[in-house]
């Protein structure tokens, strides 16, 4: 009986499988283990992680290192991926027109329309005049309320107020006649005076209806068709706000423009095509299909995409000792997304969701560095180290130990930086590595929710959401209620929270639960489902997915609570049996490559015995 350990060095984790191989190649699996990968996959930096996982697996099996016959490692050719995001639209405020503002606590409710007047000029307003009061610095909330009440008592119709300080509620509560009040307008001194304006504040829990509607603004300011077309970006920027201010100036305007984001050049075996990034993800991916198989890609110098591709090449060159000019981009994935951007020229730091394109790119290198890794590992463990077969082939062998599978079978290995697929048919395994996986999903969630917190975005990706409705219960995202014996943390109350393994984590945004859930599921669909389909299409016989009988989903992302179901739903119409793998009937979607290495080695032993 020979004691062996199969080791799979992945981008994020390193997994091991301990087994005894008896006469005739009979395999007895003993244990498995998992540790984080040390360093970049396929480099000598992996040695400490491999040593650790081997020792853990042997310890779990109750076997010492000295009994080990061989360590079997996969062909962990380095896969380096990079991400870039290009904003391709921009909202610009010219002259002095102001768009919406969404402070935490506006005052009052309703719509007020009138001419903007400085607070100090209220006494000069004639009775019957309809005005919007602009309260600047140095005015106390009690003085502001008293001044407005005094003007109203004289017959001045004060229909709304724009305030510099965070005083809207304090002012509104002291007014004799309720009006909408918007506060925290940091550049209030730039609000044009003597101009028609509208202030709208919605009731708590609601959003504005008039100023977020192009025809509503047209009605307020009596605009013609051309003017309504020009004001449309204003309405779009205000959708979802609880409060807003629009000031109409003779020359003021708000425009949206597309930003030249540079060109991406895709080089195939037969053709070479360039595509503008601001054409969007669909056009980029359509161009990629026209040049496939991709042999390299370059980005325009001085742009985000050019910088990202250069960084990927530099990283790979540094890790492998390969000349930068010899590193080739082997796949790209483009995804349409949104990025919160501060509106240029706005007066209160308003943000608008601008269109953007996220791009993932990937390169692979030769197995040369693996030989060096094997040598270092041999020195560290003092046992023979064998480089096994192609990673995808081993994953297929491991996946076939899942109960209920059979040939032809395809595997989808969903990792952090890449999505891999392989299909095993009549003795031939076809495989493909594609750019884009869990890391891109995290980036999309972080960007579209405006979190600026990758760790929180990662938690949102991995765990379900809930809304803390009281100190003792939460409403889960599926509508069910969950009760607790102990009071919930005060910071979670009335918040959307992530139910992570470490506990309840509030999401500090204004987005409601449904919005966060929609962003999370959309990001997973745009990356994992799209990548799963294009990966299977490239490995399926004749590109026909209906020729694949079984798909086994493997890898760390296969443990996600919704990704496997989303992929299964996407391929269900093609008659494919798709589900999460359960390697050896006990390991779940983990350990497939490590198990496959052992199975492959056992097959070689049996052939040698038979020979």
């Amino acid at each position: 009986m020979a004691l062996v350990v199969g080791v799979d060095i992945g981008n994020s984790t390193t997994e091991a499988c301990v087994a005894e191989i008896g006469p005739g190649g009979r395999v007895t699996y003993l244990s498995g283990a998992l540790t984080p990968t040390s360093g970049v996959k396929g480099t000598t930096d992996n040695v400490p992680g491999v040593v650790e996982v081997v020792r853990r697996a042997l310890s779990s099996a109750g076997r010492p290192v000295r009994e080990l016959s061989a360590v079997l490692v996969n062909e962990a050719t380095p896969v380096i991926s990079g991400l870039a995001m290009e904003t391709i639209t921009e909202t610009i405020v010219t002259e002095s027109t102001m768009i919406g503002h969404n402070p935490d606590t506006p005052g009052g409710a309703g719509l007020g329309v009138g001419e903007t007047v400085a607070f100090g000029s209220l006494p000069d307003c004639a009775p019957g005049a309809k005005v919007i009061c602009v309260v600047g610095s140095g005015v106390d909330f009690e003085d502001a309320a008293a001044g407005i009440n005094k003007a109203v008592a004289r017959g001045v119709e004060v229909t709304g107020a724009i305030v510099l300080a965070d005083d809207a509620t304090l002012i509104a509560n002291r007014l004799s006649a309720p009006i909408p009040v918007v506060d925290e307008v940091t550049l209030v001194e730039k609000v044009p005076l003597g101009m028609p304006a509208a202030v709208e504040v919605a009731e708590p829990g609601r959003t504005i209806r008039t100023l977020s509607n192009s025809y509503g603004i047209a009605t307020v300011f009596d605009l013609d068709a051309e003017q309504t077309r020009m004001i449309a970006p204003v309405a779009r920027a205000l959708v979802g706000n609880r409060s807003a201010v629009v000031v109409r100036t003779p020359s003021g305007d708000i425009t949206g423009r597309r930003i030249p984001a540079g060109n991406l050049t895709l080089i195939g075996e037969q053709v070479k095509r360039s595509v503008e990034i601001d054409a969007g993800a669909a056009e980029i991916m359509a161009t990629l299909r026209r040049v496939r198989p991709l042999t390299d890609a370059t980005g325009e110098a001085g742009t985000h995409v050019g910088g990202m591709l250069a960084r990927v090449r530099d990283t790979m060159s540094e890790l492998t000792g390969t000349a930068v000019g010899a590193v080739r981009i082997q796949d790209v994935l483009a995804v349409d997304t949104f990025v919160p951007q501060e509106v240029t020229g706005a007066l209160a730091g308003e943000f608008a969701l601008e269109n953007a394109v996220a791009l993932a790119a990937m390169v692979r290198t030769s197995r040369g560095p693996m030989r060096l890794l094997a040598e270092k590992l041999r020195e560290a463990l003092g046992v023979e180290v064998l480089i096994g077969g192609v990673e995808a082939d081993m994953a297929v062998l491991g996946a076939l130990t899942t109960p209920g599978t059979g040939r032809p079978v395809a595997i989808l290995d969903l990792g952090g930086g890449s999505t891999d697929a392989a299909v095993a048919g009549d003795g031939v395994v076809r495989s493909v590595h594609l750019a884009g996986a869990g890391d891109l999903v995290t980036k999309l969630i972080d960007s579209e929710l405006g979190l600026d917190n990758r760790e929180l975005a990662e938690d949102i990706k991995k765990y379900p959401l809930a809304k803390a409705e009281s100190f003792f219960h939460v409403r889960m995202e599926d509508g069910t209620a969950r009760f607790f014996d102990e009071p919930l943390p005060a910071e979670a109350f009335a918040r959307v929270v992530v139910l992570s393994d470490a506990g309840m984590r509030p999401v500090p945004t204004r987005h409601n639960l449904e919005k966060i859930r929609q962003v999370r599921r959309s990001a997973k669909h745009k990356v994992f489902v799209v990548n799963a389909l294009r990966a299977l299409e490239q490995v399926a016989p004749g590109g026909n997915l209906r020729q694949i009988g079984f798909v086994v989903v493997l890898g760390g992302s296969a443990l996600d609570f919704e990704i496997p179901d989303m992929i299964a739903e996407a391929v269900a119409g093609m008659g494919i049996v798709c589900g999460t793998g359960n390697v050896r009937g006990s390991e779940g979607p983990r350990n497939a490559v490590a198990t496959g290495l052992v199975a492959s080695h056992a097959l070689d032993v049996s052939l040698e015995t038979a020979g």
Side-chain angles (χ1 to χ4, degrees):
M1 300 286 278
L3 184 67
V4 299
V5 180
V7 177
D8 171 26
I9 305 169
N11 288 308
S12 301
T13 60
T14 299
E15 301 171 358
C17 169
V18 177
E20 282 185 332
I21 299 178
R26 182 171 53 83
V27 181
T28 304
Y29 294 104
L30 301 178
S31 68
L34 176 150
T35 62
T37 296
S38 55
V40 175
K41 172 182 177 179
T43 65
T44 53
D45 291 341
N46 300 151
V47 171
V50 175
V51 172
E52 173 67 19
V53 80
V54 168
R55 294 189 186 281
R56 284 192 190 183
L58 288 172
S59 175
S60 179
R63 304 292 291 270
V65 176
R66 66 175 180 278
E67 294 183 7
L68 196 56
S69 298
V71 173
L72 318 169
V73 296
N74 61 318
E75 279 190 20
T77 51
V79 177
I80 308 296
S81 62
L83 299 174
M85 196 169 286
E86 287 271 12
T87 304
I88 59 175
T89 62
E90 183 181 19
T91 301
I92 303 171
V93 181
T94 62
E95 302 298 335
S96 55
T97 304
M98 176 182 173
I99 69 164
H101 184 40
N102 203 25
D104 289 329
T105 53
L111 175 69
V113 180
E115 189 174 290
T116 50
V117 173
F119 175 74
S121 300
L122 270 184
D124 302 328
C125 294
K130 297 179 69 172
V131 301
I132 301 287
C133 181
V134 181
V135 183
S137 61
V139 181
D140 181 74
F141 63 89
E142 290 188 323
D143 293 337
I148 293 173
N149 285 335
K150 192 174 179 180
V152 171
R154 289 193 305 107
V156 179
E157 294 186 43
V158 181
T159 61
I162 305 170
V163 183
L164 169 65
D166 184 14
D167 291 340
T169 303
L170 295 170
I171 294 174
N173 289 343
R174 288 163 172 78
L175 297 178
S176 56
I179 60 171
V181 182
V182 171
D183 61 2
E184 299 181 64
V185 179
T186 54
L187 298 179
V188 72
E189 72 276 6
K190 293 189 177 181
V191 174
L193 300 176
M195 297 295 171
V199 175
E200 185 176 10
V201 175
E203 296 283 356
R206 296 177 180 271
T207 58
I208 57 171
R209 302 298 301 274
T210 302
L211 298 185
S212 61
N213 175 3
S214 298
Y215 301 117
I217 297 176
T219 303
V220 168
F221 294 114
D222 192 25
L223 305 180
D224 59 25
E226 179 60 21
Q227 290 169 325
T228 303
R229 188 185 65 80
M230 296 296 292
I231 206 72
V234 177
R236 178 172 61 84
L238 300 182
V239 172
N241 279 14
R242 193 190 155 201
S243 63
V245 175
V246 174
V247 182
R248 187 187 179 208
T249 61
S251 56
D253 190 16
I254 295 179
T255 60
R257 69 165 182 168
R258 294 188 76 80
I259 305 170
N263 289 322
L264 175 67
T265 300
L266 302 172
I267 305 166
E269 290 183 353
Q270 303 293 329
V271 296
K272 169 182 172 181
R273 294 182 187 275
S274 291
V275 58
E276 294 181 351
I277 295 297
D278 61 4
E283 184 60 30
I284 295 171
M285 297 310 291
T287 305
L288 177 62
R289 282 193 291 274
R290 288 194 284 271
V291 305
R292 208 165 59 193
L294 186 70
T295 59
D296 200 7
T298 59
E300 188 175 359
T303 64
H304 286 174
V305 62
M308 183 267 280
L309 295 182
R311 285 194 300 274
V312 170
R313 291 181 201 278
D314 289 345
T315 303
M316 179 62 82
S317 173
E318 183 179 338
L319 289 172
T320 64
T322 306
V324 173
V327 176
R328 299 284 182 263
I329 305 293
Q330 292 195 322
D331 187 53
V332 295
L333 172 67
V335 176
D336 286 324
T337 183
F338 299 98
V339 179
Q341 292 285 316
E342 188 166 352
V343 176
T344 303
L347 301 185
E350 292 92 342
F351 280 77
L353 278 179
E354 304 292 355
N355 296 97
V357 172
L359 200 68
M362 187 196 71
V363 298
R364 297 186 72 194
T365 187
S366 67
R367 61 180 298 182
M370 280 301 300
R371 297 193 184 97
L372 186 58
L373 186 154
E375 291 175 10
K376 296 288 183 183
L377 196 56
R378 198 172 292 118
E379 294 173 7
L381 289 172
V383 297
E384 186 178 14
V385 177
L386 304 175
I387 301 174
V390 177
E391 185 173 339
D393 296 17
M394 300 300 103
V396 169
L397 286 176
L400 283 170
T401 65
T402 294
T405 58
R407 293 176 184 269
V409 64
I411 62 102
L412 281 170
D413 192 351
L414 312 178
S418 65
T419 299
D420 305 335
V423 62
D426 301 327
V428 179
V429 176
R430 290 183 293 276
S431 62
V432 65
H433 270 299
L434 299 181
D439 293 344
L440 180 57
V441 172
T442 302
K443 188 176 182 67
L444 292 176
I445 293 172
D446 188 37
S447 171
E448 294 190 15
L449 293 178
L451 300 174
D452 196 22
N453 184 334
R454 292 291 297 273
E455 186 184 350
L456 177 59
E458 181 74 11
D459 278 356
I460 291 174
K461 179 184 74 175
K462 292 168 61 178
Y463 302 107
L465 302 165
K467 176 72 178 292
E469 294 186 334
S470 78
F471 283 117
F472 290 93
H473 89 281
V474 298
R475 182 72 58 185
M476 306 292 288
E477 63 177 70
D478 63 358
T480 59
R482 180 179 171 187
F483 294 88
F484 297 84
D485 294 330
E486 299 295 326
L488 303 180
E491 62 270 19
F493 182 65
R495 288 278 192 183
V496 177
V497 295
V498 180
L499 302 176
S500 71
D501 292 342
M504 197 172 290
R505 182 172 189 179
V507 181
T509 73
R510 294 175 178 170
H511 302 300
N512 60 33
L513 187 149
E514 185 54 36
K515 171 66 177 179
I516 299 172
R517 178 176 182 272
Q518 181 269 327
V519 168
R520 182 194 73 208
R521 289 182 60 83
S522 173
K524 289 178 179 177
H525 189 278
K526 286 188 283 192
V527 176
F528 280 116
V529 175
V530 168
N531 250 358
L533 291 177
R534 73 184 187 112
L536 291 174
E537 180 184 312
Q538 292 184 45
V539 298
N544 184 0
L545 270 61
R546 294 183 183 278
Q547 298 297 316
I548 299 174
F550 300 88
V551 172
V552 180
V553 184
L554 304 170
S557 294
L559 294 168
D560 186 273
F561 67 101
E562 57 189 356
I563 290 173
D565 290 345
M566 295 170 76
I567 294 174
E569 185 178 354
V571 301
M574 302 163 197
I576 297 173
V577 179
C578 178
T580 304
N582 188 16
V583 177
R584 305 201 313 266
S586 61
E587 301 297 318
R590 298 273 194 193
N591 220 264
V593 174
T595 300
L597 285 165
V598 173
S600 176
H601 185 69
L603 182 61
D604 291 341
V605 170
S606 68
L607 292 175
E608 289 175 3
T609 304

